[in-house]
């Protein structure tokens, strides 16, 4: 735990007052950034599906709905991987 907190201070003790706030903001902002990105991708997919439903009401929207479901599952998988990486990379041990 001490080694993890020590990395917030940066490479030189003189830079610690500058590096600690920057690192804290960086670590707290990553999950927020991932959440906004996931929301924007899901919203854009929904908008594309709604536009095609308005333009071609029969067969094409079914294909886009299937694509939208696939992309949603893929986005959830990528979000889980990125969250795992963000959560566990800082505490990983050096080899």
């Amino acid at each position: 735990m001490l080694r993890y907190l020590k990395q917030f201070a940066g490479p030189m003790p003189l830079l610690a007052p500058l590096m600690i706030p920057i690192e804290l903001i960086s670590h707290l902002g990553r999950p927020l950034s991932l959440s906004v990105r996931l929301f924007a991708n899901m919203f854009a997919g929904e908008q594309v599906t709604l536009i095609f439903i308005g333009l071609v009401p029969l067969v094409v929207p079914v294909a886009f709905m299937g694509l939208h479901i696939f992309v949603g599952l893929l986005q959830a998988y990528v979000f889980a991987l990125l969250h795992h990486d963000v959560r566990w990379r800082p505490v990983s041990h050096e080899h």
Side-chain angles (χ1 to χ4, degrees):
M1 180 75 173
L2 185 61
R3 194 182 306 165
Y4 173 66
L5 293 175
K6 199 169 153 184
Q7 83 176 10
F8 277 67
M12 297 179 354
L14 185 64
L15 291 176
L18 178 65
M19 293 298 292
I20 289 174
I22 291 172
E23 287 293 324
L24 283 174
I25 291 170
S26 171
H27 280 269
L28 294 174
R30 286 179 193 155
L32 178 66
S33 171
L34 293 173
S35 299
V36 169
R37 185 182 311 161
L38 178 63
F39 173 76
N41 286 332
M42 298 296 286
F43 183 75
E46 195 68 35
Q47 293 301 311
V48 167
T49 302
L50 290 175
I51 288 171
F52 275 100
I53 286 174
L55 293 175
V56 186
L58 292 177
V59 178
V60 175
V62 174
F64 276 97
M65 285 180 190
L67 182 64
H68 182 62
I69 290 171
F70 172 72
V71 168
L73 291 171
L74 188 64
Q75 286 287 335
Y77 178 69
V78 167
F79 180 75
L81 284 178
L82 288 174
H83 177 71
H84 181 270
D85 186 48
V86 166
R87 172 67 182 98
W88 292 107
R89 182 183 291 187
V91 293
S92 66
H93 301 290
E94 298 293 327
H95 293 276

